[in-house]
Amino acid sequence: MNGKYCLYLRKSRADRDAEARGEGETLARHEQTLRALAGKMGIEISAVYKEIVSGETIYSRPEITKLLHEVENGIWDGVIVMEIERLARGATIDQGIVAQAFQLSGTKIITPLKTYDPENEFDEEYFEFGLFMSRREYKTINRRIQNGRKAAANEGRYIASVAPLGYRRIKLKNDKGWSLEIIPGQAEIIRLVFDLYVNGQRNPDGSRSKTGTSKICQILDNLNIKPVSGGKWSPASIRDILHNPVYTGKIRWGYIKYEKLTQNGSVTTKRIKNNNCIISQGLHKAIIDEETFNKAQELLKLHRKLSIPSGKKLKNPLAGLVYCKKCGHLMTRLAPSSKTQYAALKCPGRYCDNISAPVGIIEEKIIYSLEIWLADYKLNIQKNEIKNISKTYKNSYTTLEKEAVTLKSQYEKTFDLLERGIYDDKTFLDRNKLIKSKIEECNMAMDKLMELEKKEKHMLSVENNFIPVVKNIVDGYGTIKDISMKNKLLKAIIKRIEYIKETKNTRGKRDNDNFSLIIYPIIPYKNNIRI
């Protein structure tokens, strides 16, 4: 048979299930079958298109997209495929695109059962009918599979293909489906994450400091504990752990939904969280108790990220606060666009290479940094609380009092020694003047000590009164929707923030806070916050 012909190979869901049962690699078997068919028909194959990527639409499958473009341009006389369903089994619009490409170009479709000639009216109708029936079959199979997964989830079976950190997937004995088994070493990591977030980091004196997701990342990295993917921990991965009810022995299914949107004539998919997902009692053992998990959820709600409200005059909560560490420019807000769906903070310096980051992520890191700093600051104040200050000054004052009594006694003895003739006039005057000077110095030191004690008590009282103000700002920040109010509150406790980021985030890791901040708080403290 004369002309240019190619092969198109793609796996179906049934093929993937067959491979799982050990029936061999599908594409290799199909290619062998189709090459044998081409040999019988005297067809020379010029190209082979192997669809490796699985996608519901033709736009998500690069090989079929490329093939259709070539078909439309009349490059191929025929395409050899196992079934017409392999070309399009998704949405009706995709089937229409495929049918139109082959019909207008007159390209044949050759399968082991039948050759479809688009110039033949009967074949054309049969082809369109075949695509329609394959779509119905696809929807029926997909509905059956989803119903089966829901039923399995409600029965406590683990449906996902990858187990979360802390568990491994295990096949249920004498039953269908899978469950989870605890991996002791990884489970300890999960317990540590929840303990740090709920109870805080333990200090040397036994007290606890509040610990946010950014700080937990630092602690895990410092302990050389690696996430499953390797590299460094990110706050997003910690939040995923804290949100996952699987660790309490539950099964969660359908938490992430995929919503289709049309943009510029093409269909895109958006991942959204489904608050009405299935939560059922699982067959596996829990790593975290319900009480600890619920406490974590309360804290997560308190510190949730908020979207920037529209219609406000001020849209940047960090306005006038964040400066570029490289060039010193005040950083500005970059509004969301078609490329970036979030507001970012960037340096306006023309030649500055400081990398931008999402405003929400920077805000989150600032608040968590303030939480950590506030706990440490509070601990330092507790070490120097008023009763300790009073005790320290009292000890010093008592020592000076004793010294003053001794000096007064020595001063009085000088007169006695003069009367007894032991001191002559000159010795008496010199000795009397020296002791009198020491008494005056001692009295001045005692007065100064009382003044310092009073001043330090006042400063500590001011700081202790200011701590609740700062704590209220930090704790309540996540509930505030007014951008202007957020900005005012931050400026009430922060003088300046310096920002630097030198490594770009890789795809899918936008929430990775791989930037550094130096925060200059207004509250008196010996160190600034570096994180």
Side-chain angles (χ1 to χ4, degrees):
M1 189 179 291
N2 296 326
K4 290 185 66 176
Y5 294 85
C6 66
L7 298 184
Y8 178 73
L9 306 169
R10 182 172 76 87
K11 295 179 185 180
S12 67
R13 192 185 304 276
D15 294 328
R16 289 193 290 270
D17 293 341
E19 286 181 4
R21 294 192 299 268
E23 295 184 15
E25 211 286 320
T26 302
L27 296 188
R29 290 188 290 106
H30 286 183
E31 183 175 358
Q32 185 178 2
T33 301
L34 295 179
R35 283 189 179 277
L37 175 63
K40 289 180 181 179
M41 299 177 70
I43 294 174
E44 183 179 346
I45 297 172
S46 301
V48 178
Y49 295 90
K50 294 183 179 181
E51 199 74 75
I52 306 299
V53 178
S54 177
E56 186 178 341
T57 65
I58 58 175
Y59 294 108
S60 61
R61 292 188 274 135
E63 293 300 302
I64 190 63
T65 303
K66 181 180 177 182
L67 175 60
L68 288 176
H69 179 72
E70 293 177 352
V71 167
E72 288 171 345
N73 287 291
I75 294 176
W76 302 109
D77 293 291
V79 176
I80 306 174
V81 65
M82 285 297 293
E83 303 160 328
I84 58 171
E85 292 87 347
R86 306 282 169 166
L87 294 171
R89 200 180 189 180
T92 305
I93 189 171
D94 285 351
Q95 295 177 355
I97 291 171
V98 171
Q100 180 177 275
F102 280 89
Q103 288 165 4
L104 294 180
S105 64
T107 306
K108 294 181 174 65
I109 301 173
I110 301 171
T111 72
L113 296 177
K114 179 177 174 56
T115 298
Y116 298 86
D117 185 352
E119 295 181 353
N120 182 299
E121 184 178 349
F122 177 77
D123 282 355
E124 180 184 345
E125 291 180 358
Y126 197 89
F127 172 64
E128 291 177 350
F129 179 73
L131 290 179
F132 170 74
M133 291 304 294
S134 69
R135 173 62 179 168
R136 285 194 62 186
E137 183 185 1
Y138 167 79
K139 293 181 72 173
T140 301
I141 293 172
N142 189 55
R143 183 168 57 250
R144 190 181 302 128
I145 289 172
Q146 293 305 321
N147 289 338
R149 287 174 174 172
K150 288 179 182 178
N154 284 319
E155 292 169 1
R157 292 171 170 80
Y158 188 74
I159 311 300
S161 58
V162 179
L165 181 68
Y167 291 103
R168 67 169 64 90
R169 287 176 79 228
I170 56 169
K171 188 72 176 66
L172 290 171
K173 294 181 179 179
N174 304 320
D175 199 354
K176 292 181 179 180
W178 300 78
S179 187
L180 296 172
E181 183 180 67
I182 294 176
I183 302 175
Q186 292 184 7
E188 289 305 314
I189 299 173
I190 301 302
R191 294 187 183 102
L192 175 61
V193 168
F194 273 89
D195 180 56
L196 288 170
Y197 191 74
V198 172
N199 301 314
Q201 185 179 15
R202 189 177 296 279
N203 298 307
D205 64 352
S207 62
R208 293 268 191 166
S209 298
K210 197 169 185 179
T211 315
T213 54
S214 296
K215 183 62 178 178
I216 292 173
C217 292
Q218 293 178 14
I219 293 170
L220 295 178
D221 289 337
N222 291 338
L223 292 173
N224 200 31
I225 296 173
K226 301 290 184 183
V228 175
S229 59
K232 301 290 185 181
W233 288 86
S234 69
S237 60
I238 298 298
R239 286 193 294 272
D240 286 343
I241 289 173
L242 295 170
H243 275 298
N244 197 344
V246 170
Y247 294 117
T248 63
K250 299 288 194 302
I251 289 295
R252 180 178 67 182
W253 180 249
Y255 179 60
I256 298 297
K257 292 178 67 176
Y258 293 89
E259 187 178 86
K260 293 180 181 178
L261 303 171
T262 303
Q263 293 181 348
N264 301 323
S266 62
V267 179
T268 60
T269 304
K270 180 182 179 183
R271 295 173 80 251
I272 58 173
K273 292 180 180 178
N274 176 23
N275 294 324
N276 296 319
C277 63
I278 294 173
I279 303 289
S280 61
Q281 184 60 48
L283 301 176
H284 61 282
K285 293 181 179 179
I287 294 177
I288 301 299
D289 61 83
E290 291 279 354
E291 183 181 357
T292 301
F293 183 79
N294 290 335
K295 286 181 180 178
Q297 304 319 297
E298 291 174 5
L299 290 172
L300 287 165
K301 286 180 182 178
L302 184 64
H303 298 111
R304 70 187 184 277
K305 292 184 291 182
L306 297 174
S307 59
I308 298 175
S310 59
K312 300 291 182 180
K313 290 183 179 179
L314 183 66
K315 295 185 178 182
N316 182 11
L318 306 178
L321 277 172
V322 184
Y323 291 81
C324 175
K325 185 72 171 64
K326 289 193 171 187
C327 66
H329 276 96
L330 182 65
M331 297 190 69
T332 57
R333 176 181 176 270
L334 186 66
S337 66
S338 57
K339 292 184 179 179
T340 56
Q341 304 300 316
Y342 54 86
L345 210 63
K346 74 179 191 73
C347 177
R350 185 174 180 183
Y351 301 105
C352 185
D353 60 352
N354 204 354
I355 300 170
S356 64
V359 172
I361 303 299
I362 297 176
E363 267 189 285
E364 184 181 50
K365 193 165 186 176
I366 289 171
I367 295 302
Y368 282 135
S369 302
L370 285 172
E371 289 176 346
I372 297 166
W373 169 79
L374 186 60
D376 185 50
Y377 183 76
K378 189 176 180 180
L379 182 62
N380 277 274
I381 287 182
Q382 288 173 347
K383 289 180 180 177
N384 298 299
E385 57 190 5
I386 292 177
K387 62 181 182 181
N388 291 332
I389 291 174
S390 299
K391 184 178 180 181
T392 301
Y393 280 99
K394 185 177 181 180
N395 291 338
S396 299
Y397 193 90
T398 301
T399 301
L400 287 172
E401 272 188 322
K402 289 180 180 179
E403 185 178 353
V405 170
T406 302
L407 288 171
K408 286 179 181 179
S409 176
Q410 291 176 356
Y411 181 77
E412 291 173 356
K413 283 184 179 179
T414 58
F415 292 94
D416 181 60
L417 292 172
L418 176 64
E419 291 175 356
R420 292 167 58 186
I422 297 175
Y423 281 170
D424 58 16
D425 291 345
K426 185 179 183 304
T427 302
F428 166 77
L429 292 173
D430 291 340
R431 186 64 179 167
N432 187 276
K433 184 179 179 180
L434 177 63
I435 295 174
K436 190 175 181 180
S437 174
K438 287 184 176 181
I439 290 173
E440 289 176 354
E441 290 176 0
C442 191
N443 288 333
M444 289 176 63
M446 290 168 69
D447 291 339
K448 185 68 174 177
L449 201 63
M450 291 180 67
E451 183 182 344
L452 288 172
E453 181 186 12
K454 185 178 179 180
K455 184 177 180 181
E456 192 161 340
K457 282 181 178 180
H458 175 71
M459 288 177 64
L460 189 62
S461 177
V462 169
E463 290 176 350
N464 273 321
N465 290 332
F466 196 55
I467 282 176
V469 175
V470 180
K471 189 176 186 303
N472 287 338
I473 291 174
V474 171
D475 290 347
Y477 187 86
T479 64
I480 299 170
K481 296 184 178 181
D482 189 324
I483 299 299
S484 297
M485 180 58 69
K486 280 186 168 186
N487 186 251
K488 287 178 182 178
L489 291 175
L490 288 176
K491 285 182 175 178
I493 57 177
I494 298 174
K495 291 183 290 186
R496 176 188 177 97
I497 300 171
E498 292 178 356
Y499 166 97
I500 186 169
K501 179 175 178 179
E502 307 210 13
T503 305
K504 290 185 178 181
N505 288 8
T506 56
R507 186 176 181 85
K509 294 185 178 180
R510 176 182 67 82
D511 291 344
N512 188 8
D513 58 345
N514 56 340
F515 52 82
S516 298
L517 299 174
I518 301 176
I519 302 176
Y520 297 83
I522 291 175
I523 314 173
Y525 191 56
K526 63 181 180 180
N527 292 325
N528 298 315
I529 307 170
R530 294 174 180 267
I531 192 162

